[in-house]
Amino acid sequence: MPVIVAHILKGRSVEIKRRLASALTATVADALDVQPQSIQVLIEEHERENWAAGGELYSDRQVEPKSDELDLDAFFRKPVETKAPAKPAAKAPAQKTPAKSRQRR
């Protein structure tokens, strides 16, 4: 039974958390080939004053991202598979003509 723990900053709506739980569940179920019902998601929220990035507390940042504009689908979208360009066929090695045998006298 997989258990996923997501640590996020406080302030996101219940709808955003629903989308996060759904996206995480679908992705892990696909990756591990298990039933979605067996996956548990725990969402832990943290105050901005208790989280830092690059040595700076989120509470000290001048511009805070708007949490409702977060595009969760972009995080969990599968990359588009692109076919590698076809390699040119290798040339067959040139065959040597058989050497003429020397006639013995």
Side-chain angles (χ1 to χ4, degrees):
M1 166 176 60
V3 177
I4 303 164
V5 180
H7 294 268
I8 63 173
L9 290 171
K10 275 191 176 182
R12 291 188 169 82
S13 68
V14 174
E15 181 56 33
I16 292 288
K17 294 176 196 175
R18 278 190 192 103
R19 289 177 46 212
L20 176 62
S22 176
L24 287 171
T25 300
T27 301
V28 171
D30 183 50
L32 298 179
D33 196 23
V34 297
Q35 294 295 318
Q37 296 79 8
S38 70
I39 299 171
Q40 295 185 12
V41 177
L42 303 172
I43 299 174
E44 296 186 12
E45 293 184 295
H46 302 278
E47 296 287 343
R48 293 180 183 281
E49 63 196 29
N50 296 327
W51 197 317
E56 182 182 10
L57 292 174
Y58 276 95
S59 60
D60 293 341
R61 291 187 173 194
Q62 301 259 337
V63 178
E64 295 182 9
K66 294 184 179 181
S67 60
D68 287 338
E69 293 181 6
L70 183 63
D71 183 12
L72 289 175
D73 296 329
F75 288 114
F76 300 104
R77 196 171 296 130
K78 288 186 178 183
V80 177
E81 292 184 25
T82 57
K83 292 184 179 181
K87 293 182 181 178
K91 293 182 180 179
Q95 293 185 355
K96 295 182 181 178
T97 56
K100 295 182 181 179
S101 61
R102 297 174 79 186
Q103 294 181 350
R104 293 188 180 193
R105 294 186 194 190

